[in-house]
Amino acid sequence: MKKVKFPTGIRFAKSKGVIDYTRIEIRFTYKTKPYTYTVKYEGLTEAKLLQAQLKAQVSKSDHIDPARMNLNQLLDQYISTRKRESTKISNKNNYDQFVKRSNNIGSMRIDKIKTFHLQNVVDQLIEEGIAPKTIRNYFSPISASLNHAEKQGLIPHKSPTKNVNRPAVKKTEVNMWSLDQYNEFITQAKMIADSYGKLNQYHRYSSHYLLMVEFIRHTGMRVYEVCGLTWDDFNADTNEITINKTLKYTTGNSFVIEDTKNSHSERTIPLTIEASKILEELYFHIDNPFIFNIGGKPFRSNNVARVFTKFAKELNMPLPFRLRDNRKLFISEALSLGVPPQDIADYCGTSIEQISKTYGRSDDQSLLKLAKRLSANA
């Protein structure tokens, strides 16, 4: 290996007298107390940066000695590095679900936590009949925080999460609806919602939720993007709508407004005729800033999804097909009409690579068209 010239306080780690070129030791003294961190080696520049970060961290008044840090404190430190508020809340909720089934694992020193401690909790979740995907969600912040501890040199060994056996999640393919199936569904669902609304005041919201389902179908927007739309985002003169935020509920009636998913997602798009009609129908709610709202509160995505799935089951529609899959109907239709993938990507706030990977798949009909076109040219 090429010789690396480290600054003072950094060197390759040793294991039983043998140099380990995959890990480094970072040593320094603060207020006469020596500190040693063993971390994964990811390059000289990264090592220097990490050394500076560790020194700065130790000098903070609220610094916790890694030798005494417990899992609860580690989780708090890890969450503080997350940017999105909804992500922080989700991580904390999932973490709480995991540790409450353990024997005080949250108060254990992180360097004392072993694989079997974590495996016991995972096995208990399995015995309780918790779905594999939910178990992995509960385990995710534990894994992320202990991996963070390993990278930051807060534990003198590899993360114990790496050898934990978690139940596999079966990948489910979307049972895509045709446009005819969707049109029949939305017509029948509206009729049912109207009849429910006349019988029960509670069910009158179902027809409102269906309008959001239609709006996703006719704009290709993401669910959280639609939830966050306000009337200020709509330009009636140009018939355009601007997508520059998302809205997610956290706990109770609290919600957070955050940036769009990525840089591709922030955009201004002209609306289709169908989408414009939906906004016209909702315009009587103009006194509320949110386009899709009930009683002044923006829609909860979970409520809309629940109503959508309820009607899909009642009408014997092919499943699984979820609320967010209505976006796929818009993209699939655009592709079938020959709209350039780049235009679709820009309109839907995604990348052309994602369009090709997820939607640009051939089927029997498209392959048949290809053969006919080549035959005609011959």
Side-chain angles (χ1 to χ4, degrees):
M1 180 176 178
K2 185 179 178 181
K3 188 174 181 180
V4 181
K5 188 176 182 180
F6 287 120
T8 303
I10 303 179
R11 70 179 186 184
F12 282 116
K14 285 186 178 182
S15 177
K16 297 180 181 179
V18 179
I19 297 177
D20 182 356
Y21 291 106
T22 67
R23 298 167 73 78
I24 56 173
E25 285 183 0
I26 299 178
R27 299 169 175 246
F28 58 88
T29 301
Y30 180 73
K31 290 186 176 179
T32 70
K33 184 175 181 179
Y35 290 88
T36 301
Y37 296 87
T38 303
V39 298
K40 183 179 179 181
Y41 178 55
E42 297 180 337
L44 181 59
T45 302
E46 178 71 17
K48 291 179 180 178
L49 177 61
L50 189 55
Q51 182 187 45
Q53 290 176 339
L54 290 171
K55 287 182 177 180
Q57 184 176 320
V58 167
S59 65
K60 291 181 179 179
S61 59
D62 59 350
H63 171 69
I64 302 171
D65 189 338
R68 298 179 180 178
M69 182 181 289
N70 62 37
L71 190 58
N72 291 335
Q73 293 167 329
L74 174 65
L75 190 279
D76 290 340
Q77 184 184 110
Y78 168 72
I79 284 181
S80 69
T81 67
R82 303 296 86 191
K83 293 181 179 179
R84 288 177 172 267
E85 187 64 26
S86 59
T87 302
K88 294 180 180 181
I89 295 171
S90 174
N91 282 340
K92 185 64 170 67
N93 290 340
N94 284 331
Y95 173 83
D96 290 342
Q97 289 296 324
F98 189 91
V99 298
K100 79 178 185 179
R101 291 169 167 86
S102 66
N103 186 18
N104 297 323
I105 195 173
S107 58
M108 286 182 64
R109 271 176 39 181
I110 57 176
D111 61 328
K112 299 295 183 182
I113 296 175
K114 306 298 181 185
T115 298
F116 73 85
H117 292 125
L118 303 170
Q119 190 67 60
N120 287 340
V121 183
V122 171
D123 292 344
Q124 183 177 335
L125 289 166
I126 294 173
E127 289 178 7
E128 291 179 20
I130 306 297
K133 185 176 181 180
T134 303
I135 293 175
R136 296 180 80 90
N137 287 341
Y138 289 170
F139 186 76
S140 179
I142 303 288
S143 178
S145 57
L146 283 167
N147 287 338
H148 167 77
E150 177 189 345
K151 186 175 181 180
Q152 294 293 321
L154 302 177
I155 50 179
H157 48 70
K158 292 184 178 180
S159 169
T161 61
K162 298 185 187 301
N163 295 320
V164 175
N165 294 319
R166 290 157 291 164
V169 177
K170 293 181 180 179
K171 185 177 181 180
T172 55
E173 290 289 337
V174 176
N175 205 338
M176 278 295 291
W177 298 354
S178 68
L179 295 179
D180 288 340
Q181 283 177 312
Y182 169 82
N183 291 335
E184 180 64 20
F185 162 79
I186 204 69
T187 298
Q188 295 297 324
K190 281 182 175 180
M191 292 173 60
I192 297 173
D194 287 343
S195 63
Y196 281 174
K198 292 175 182 177
L199 295 173
N200 189 318
Q201 183 79 356
Y202 173 76
H203 288 292
R204 69 187 176 91
Y205 297 140
S206 296
S207 58
H208 293 183
Y209 290 149
L210 288 174
L211 288 176
M212 178 169 158
V213 174
E214 285 191 275
F215 196 77
I216 295 172
R217 152 72 184 93
H218 292 299
T219 60
M221 290 176 61
R222 298 178 179 88
V223 176
Y224 294 128
E225 292 174 343
V226 177
C227 289
L229 286 178
T230 62
W231 287 109
D232 288 340
D233 299 323
F234 176 55
N235 187 329
D237 295 332
T238 61
N239 196 37
E240 293 179 327
I241 202 154
T242 297
I243 300 102
N244 56 17
K245 59 185 175 299
T246 59
L247 184 147
K248 297 179 183 178
Y249 274 86
T250 52
T251 54
N253 290 321
S254 302
F255 59 84
V256 293
I257 296 177
E258 299 174 320
D259 295 335
T260 52
K261 183 176 181 180
N262 51 47
S263 57
H264 292 293
S265 303
E266 191 167 335
R267 61 205 186 276
T268 297
I269 56 174
L271 294 176
T272 61
I273 293 175
E274 294 83 358
S276 300
K277 289 180 179 178
I278 294 170
L279 292 192
E280 289 176 7
E281 190 170 346
L282 291 167
Y283 205 68
F284 63 88
H285 286 302
I286 193 69
D287 58 318
N288 188 279
F290 292 100
I291 293 178
F292 293 93
N293 75 90
I294 288 179
K297 283 281 189 179
F299 279 5
R300 288 175 176 269
S301 60
N302 289 345
N303 289 348
V304 184
R306 184 170 60 251
V307 168
F308 173 76
T309 302
K310 173 180 176 295
F311 283 131
K313 288 180 178 179
E314 191 167 338
L315 293 168
N316 296 314
M317 297 298 295
L319 296 172
F321 188 85
R322 295 149 297 188
L323 174 63
R324 65 172 181 260
D325 295 326
N326 283 272
R327 166 179 164 90
K328 297 179 181 178
L329 280 173
F330 176 88
I331 295 173
S332 298
E333 181 186 24
L335 284 171
S336 68
L337 293 174
V339 179
Q342 183 60 64
D343 291 345
I344 301 172
D346 289 344
Y347 194 93
C348 295
T350 187
S351 65
I352 191 170
E353 291 80 12
Q354 192 64 36
I355 292 290
S356 301
K357 177 182 176 182
T358 308
Y359 309 101
R361 299 174 181 171
S362 59
D363 54 33
D364 292 342
Q365 292 301 312
S366 63
L367 293 178
L368 184 61
K369 288 179 182 178
L370 181 149
K372 287 182 177 179
R373 287 180 182 177
L374 291 179
S375 299
N377 288 337

